[in-house]
Amino acid sequence: QVQLVESGGGSVQAGGSLRLSCHYSAYIARTRLNYIMWSRQAPGQEREGVAAISNRGTWSGVRDSVKGRFTISRDNSKNTVFLEMNFLVPEDTAMYYCAAGGTNGESLRVSDYNIWGQGTQVTVSS
């Protein structure tokens, strides 16, 4: 049973933009596990939280390295969370995953999220 499906990744040049989408299941929408986080993992590096949003969108947070460039939002009527990424740099190259969780509230910690999607690749060339 697929719970989270990411889309929107691709290859862009530095300075470009991408919009990632994460569609979550009705099961996730019904439970308390519906804080949604976008995370990323580059080859040889640990997975890190990038941005997260609460179940009703009243809280959102982004990591310092993407502040002012990335924006997270959600449309609960479509069970979808978006990550708008602007002014991309080569260091943003990674596999991007969305995850559901939130039993510990507002968090960008990977360990606080329980259900993970398969990921979508983002490649930024210089």
Side-chain angles (χ1 to χ4, degrees):
Q1 182 179 2
V2 178
Q3 304 275 15
L4 296 159
V5 179
E6 302 95 335
S7 62
S11 298
V12 296
Q13 290 189 328
S17 299
L18 284 173
R19 189 191 198 201
L20 306 184
S21 298
C22 171
H23 184 268
Y24 54 91
S25 66
Y27 168 78
I28 289 174
R30 288 194 303 268
T31 69
R32 295 173 57 240
L33 297 175
N34 57 7
Y35 276 52
I36 302 293
M37 179 180 70
W38 281 100
S39 68
R40 66 187 181 186
Q41 187 168 20
Q45 298 187 20
E46 292 187 356
R47 193 170 296 190
E48 61 183 19
V50 175
I53 190 166
S54 61
N55 52 356
R56 297 183 180 181
T58 53
W59 170 83
S60 65
V62 296
R63 68 182 298 111
D64 287 345
S65 62
V66 305
K67 279 183 179 177
R69 300 190 298 121
F70 290 12
T71 303
I72 189 169
S73 61
R74 69 190 297 163
D75 183 344
N76 285 347
S77 69
K78 298 180 180 179
N79 286 7
T80 302
V81 172
F82 304 98
L83 185 66
E84 187 77 34
M85 305 187 297
N86 299 311
F87 305 108
L88 285 160
V89 298
E91 291 74 23
D92 295 320
T93 295
M95 185 69 81
Y96 283 70
Y97 301 89
C98 68
T103 53
N104 288 328
E106 303 162 0
S107 171
L108 288 177
R109 291 187 299 269
V110 168
S111 58
D112 286 337
Y113 292 81
N114 311 94
I115 302 173
W116 292 81
Q118 294 299 306
T120 185
Q121 177 68 36
V122 171
T123 303
V124 185
S125 59
S126 58

